[in-house]
């Protein structure tokens, strides 16, 4: 295996690791700390949880084409996270927020350092997976896989 193939494999494993940590983190918040997820949190989970399985299987089989699908899931999930974060932190969005189920989407179970909330953590995870997916797609297009 050449260095380029190893780099792609590491990027895929990294994306899988990020999705696993994000999934376990969200389960920790809801199942251990008993934070009830709002509707937007559930939508973010819908776009993160499958990536654990998809990226994990792709890493085992060295199927780099999964990056296209992972990128799509991450862009949609990231957009939801960004909107959710805006609902929490920007007064305009808070006053014009639509109803978000029995748990308000403007609520902040955590607020570490004054800006790190659960949607922010999800946004970071989606962003990192997107960056790694774009990297894999570009390297694959360049034909640098052996």
């Amino acid at each position: 295996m050449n260095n380029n193939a190893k780099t792609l494999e590491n990027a895929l494993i990294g994306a899988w690791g990020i999705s696993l940590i994000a999934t376990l983190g969200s389960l920790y918040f809801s199942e251990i700390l008993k934070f009830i997820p709002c509707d937007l949190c559930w939508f973010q989970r819908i776009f993160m949880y499958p990536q654990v399985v998809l990226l994990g299987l792709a890493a085992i089989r060295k199927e780099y084409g999964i990056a296209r699908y992972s990128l799509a899931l991450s862009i949609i999930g990231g957009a939801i996270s960004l909107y959710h974060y805006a609902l929490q932190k920007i007064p305009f969005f808070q006053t014009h927020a639509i109803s978000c189920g029995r748990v308000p989407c403007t609520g902040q179970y955590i607020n570490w350092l004054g800006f790190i909330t659960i949607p922010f953590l999800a946004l970071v995870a989606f962003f990192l997976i997107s960056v790694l997916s774009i990297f894999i797609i570009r390297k694959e297009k360049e034909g640098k896989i052996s």
Side-chain angles (χ1 to χ4, degrees):
M1 178 182 299
N2 67 27
N3 282 339
N4 290 324
K6 189 65 176 169
T7 301
L8 283 174
E9 183 179 347
N10 289 338
L12 194 56
I13 291 169
W16 170 77
I18 292 165
S19 69
L20 179 64
I21 291 167
T23 297
L24 293 175
S26 76
L27 290 171
Y28 173 77
F29 285 133
S30 63
E31 300 304 314
I32 305 297
L33 298 181
K34 302 297 183 192
F35 297 162
I36 300 169
C38 70
D39 289 353
L40 288 177
C41 287
W42 279 112
F43 285 117
Q44 290 166 75
R45 288 174 174 208
I46 288 168
F47 289 95
M48 182 62 72
Y49 286 15
Q51 294 198 61
V52 175
V53 176
L54 295 174
L55 291 168
L57 290 173
I60 292 167
R61 298 178 53 96
K62 296 174 180 40
E63 293 178 353
Y64 305 112
I66 195 68
R68 288 168 184 77
Y69 304 104
S70 182
L71 179 60
L73 290 170
S74 293
I75 288 172
I76 297 167
I80 296 167
S81 296
L82 184 62
Y83 174 67
H84 192 183
Y85 188 65
L87 283 177
Q88 291 181 328
K89 295 296 184 180
I90 300 172
F92 173 81
F93 285 98
Q94 291 173 352
T95 57
H96 294 87
I98 57 171
S99 176
C100 195
R102 61 187 181 130
V103 176
C105 291
T106 54
Q108 299 178 39
Y109 285 115
I110 65 168
N111 190 17
W112 300 331
L113 304 175
F115 72 96
I116 300 172
T117 64
I118 294 171
F120 180 83
L121 293 171
L123 178 60
V124 170
F126 283 124
F127 175 76
L128 292 173
I129 294 169
S130 294
V131 168
L132 289 170
S133 296
I134 291 168
F135 174 79
I136 292 167
I137 292 165
R138 285 186 176 169
K139 289 296 182 188
E140 190 182 35
K141 278 186 181 178
E142 292 172 8
K144 297 198 175 191
I145 331 174
S146 61

